[in-house]
Amino acid sequence: MPRSCRDAVGQEQVGEIRHDRSGISFRPGLEGVPVTQSAICDIDGLQGRLAYRGYPIAELSAHSSFLETTYLLIWGDLPSPQQLRDFEAEVQMHRRVSFRVRDMMKCFPASGHPMDALQSSAASLGLFYSRRAIDDPKYVYNAVVRLIAKIPTMVAAFKLIRKGQDPIQPRDDLAYSANFLYMLTEREPDPLAARVLDRCLILHAEHSLNASTFSARVTASTLTDPYAVVASAVGTLAGPLHGGANEDVLAMLEEIGSPEHAGDYLDEAIASKRKVMGFGHREYRVKDPRAVILQGLAEELFARFGTDEMYDVAKALEQAAATRLGPKGIYPNVDFYSGLVYRKLGIPRDLFTPVFAISRVAGWLAHWREQLGANRIFRPSQIYTGPQNRTWIPSDERFSSTGA
Ligand code: ACO
């Protein structure tokens, strides 16, 4: 039974609504409706467990690297040492982006959101590598390599371009995450910072059929190219109910200002039915396991580079929410602590979601491949609620003299 449901003009609907021909009940937001089979990611939202291809997320984030995890997600098994070396070398070789893409990005408005810049530049890759040979394993491998390699370069490039600077070229002697931080901050990062970012990328790489991954699979099901698949997913991730929440969390913590105000803020938000950003998840009824690990990463960074006073506000909010939202199964999600980590890494706030996208490309591409393996185009149905049998009338006869 849906929790709540509104019709096309926003009126509350009570009880179950069924499709008149199929008899299938309407589930707003497709909540709980399986629309595919997948062997990529498993979530136990009651126990707070998450595994990629059968490996618990805590093990991967402690021991793996982002590129190894990417390989695992996309090809199903951990790579051999040689496979990993080859994959890393290919990704390293394709990090640069064409001067044409950079020139195109220079025409983007500096005030534009980096997620919009990323969506446009990701889509533009399809112009350069447009051969849709999606049943050729070599094309698939190359497309994976290009997207994993170039997305971070494009995110870092826009950060500098919007300030009127030329983007920094990738450095071949730096590993994936260290190179991204270098291109972004213009400084070679501390090894701890680079490792923490790599672990963040592992944590965000995949999460079953969330909105952006669903978007990726729908786009993939039309057999279009993988650049269009990723561009559509980036657009979906940008929304504040999805990846965009990590930006809003920091703004919210700053609005609360100090730990003593956390309880009042929460009461006011609940009373006015405002969502507390970084809390709640369609799948989890406990604290998101990624939030648990991210909180630990934040603490590692604070111990080394100095604390962030918003961390105390975050902890106070989490504590206050335990009794007010906890009974409804609403706890911190992945976005709650990630902003604090990214800020400590020197990443500007409006790049938090693009960093999420850099990582989630791995999951989107895993789902792209899986979708192609057993494809059927997505075409759900709807329950029509509009008017019937209207007759067209000329425009000058449409309104009565009363203006009704
Ligand atoms: N703060 C306060 N109340 C909440 C919150 C929240 N963050 N999340 C859910 N609720 C309440 C709702 O008000 C609703 O209450 P009601 O039944 O009394 O009306 C109930 O919980 C169910 O909420 P829905 O929005 O229907 O739950 P849904 O599963 O559709 O939403 C979502 C999940 C979108 C993540 C939601 O929890 C939310 O908006 N959270 C804030 C935004 C956020 O942090 N998004 C990031 C999610 S993680 C990610 O996408 C990477």
Side-chain angles (χ1 to χ4, degrees), residues 168-210:
I168 297 191
Q169 289 297 329
R171 250 180 60 186
D172 286 345
D173 60 319
L174 294 177
Y176 191 83
S177 295
N179 175 62
F180 173 66
L181 282 178
Y182 163 72
M183 290 189 297
L184 200 70
T185 61
E186 304 168 72
R187 283 196 313 270
E188 188 172 331
D190 181 279
L192 174 69
R195 176 62 188 146
V196 165
L197 178 64
D198 208 60
R199 294 185 67 188
C200 289
L201 297 184
I202 295 170
L203 293 174
H204 287 84
E206 160 62 9
H207 209 234
S208 83
L209 218 58
N210 53 81

Side-chain angles (χ1 to χ4, degrees), residues 41-339:
C41 171
D42 192 22
I43 299 171
D44 180 337
L46 295 177
Q47 302 294 324
R49 292 204 194 106
L50 166 64
Y52 299 165
R53 301 281 188 186
Y55 295 96
I57 190 66
E59 268 182 45
L60 291 171
S61 92
H63 307 299
S64 185
S65 66
F66 173 64
L67 287 185
E68 184 186 66
T69 299
T70 297
Y71 191 103
L72 167 72
L73 284 168
I74 296 175
W75 282 286
D77 288 304
L78 286 168
S80 68
Q82 188 58 47
Q83 285 170 324
L84 182 58
R85 276 195 295 275
D86 290 348
F87 185 54
E88 286 170 343
E90 293 273 358
V91 168
Q92 188 210 72
M93 218 160 67
H94 285 89
R95 282 172 182 169
R96 282 164 182 73
V97 295
S98 157
F99 74 91
R100 290 192 171 85
V101 174
R102 295 201 303 272
D103 285 355
M104 176 190 77
M105 294 176 82
K106 286 177 187 164
C107 299
F108 292 169
S111 58
H113 195 284
M115 278 300 271
D116 298 330
L118 179 60
Q119 189 183 20
S120 310
S121 33
S124 78
L125 292 179
L127 291 163
F128 295 92
Y129 314 104
S130 64
R131 198 169 59 95
R132 284 185 194 155
I134 52 180
D135 42 7
D136 174 356
K138 190 76 197 146
Y139 172 87
V140 170
Y141 187 82
N142 288 339
V144 165
V145 163
R146 283 198 182 101
L147 279 158
I148 297 292
K150 292 184 196 303
I151 295 279
T153 309
M154 295 190 300
V155 170
F158 185 65
K159 188 225 166 194
L160 294 184
I161 286 172
R162 69 179 175 178
K163 288 200 290 181
Q165 289 172 235
D166 271 328
I168 297 191
Q169 289 297 329
R171 250 180 60 186
D172 286 345
D173 60 319
L174 294 177
Y176 191 83
S177 295
N179 175 62
F180 173 66
L181 282 178
Y182 163 72
M183 290 189 297
L184 200 70
T185 61
E186 304 168 72
R187 283 196 313 270
E188 188 172 331
D190 181 279
L192 174 69
R195 176 62 188 146
V196 165
L197 178 64
D198 208 60
R199 294 185 67 188
C200 289
L201 297 184
I202 295 170
L203 293 174
H204 287 84
E206 160 62 9
H207 209 234
S208 83
L209 218 58
N210 53 81
S212 58
T213 303
F214 184 46
S215 188
R217 280 192 91 122
V218 171
T219 309
S221 79
T222 69
L223 304 185
T224 186
D225 67 64
Y227 307 103
V229 168
V230 167
S232 85
V234 169
T236 309
L237 185 69
L241 294 188
H242 194 9
N246 54 14
E247 275 185 51
D248 297 337
V249 169
L250 269 191
M252 176 185 73
L253 296 178
E254 280 164 1
E255 188 189 333
I256 296 170
S258 68
E260 326 57 272
H261 296 145
D264 289 346
Y265 176 90
L266 199 61
D267 288 339
E268 202 275 313
I270 293 169
S272 57
K273 291 203 165 294
R274 215 161 13 94
K275 292 276 175 67
V276 184
M277 300 316 275
F279 278 80
H281 200 282
R282 180 67 64 79
E283 292 288 320
Y284 294 113
R285 293 293 164 258
V286 295
K287 185 170 175 178
D288 186 327
R290 301 166 299 173
V292 175
I293 300 172
L294 279 161
Q295 187 173 4
L297 293 180
E299 286 180 355
E300 265 186 61
L301 287 176
F302 298 152
R304 174 71 170 275
F305 302 112
T307 193
D308 182 327
E309 55 185 14
M310 288 304 122
Y311 182 50
D312 292 332
V313 180
K315 282 190 296 183
L317 190 64
E318 180 177 353
Q319 203 179 7
T323 47
R324 281 117 146 154
L325 295 174
K328 289 173 82 177
I330 298 167
Y331 289 94
N333 61 44
V334 68
D335 284 331
F336 191 60
Y337 287 108
S338 63

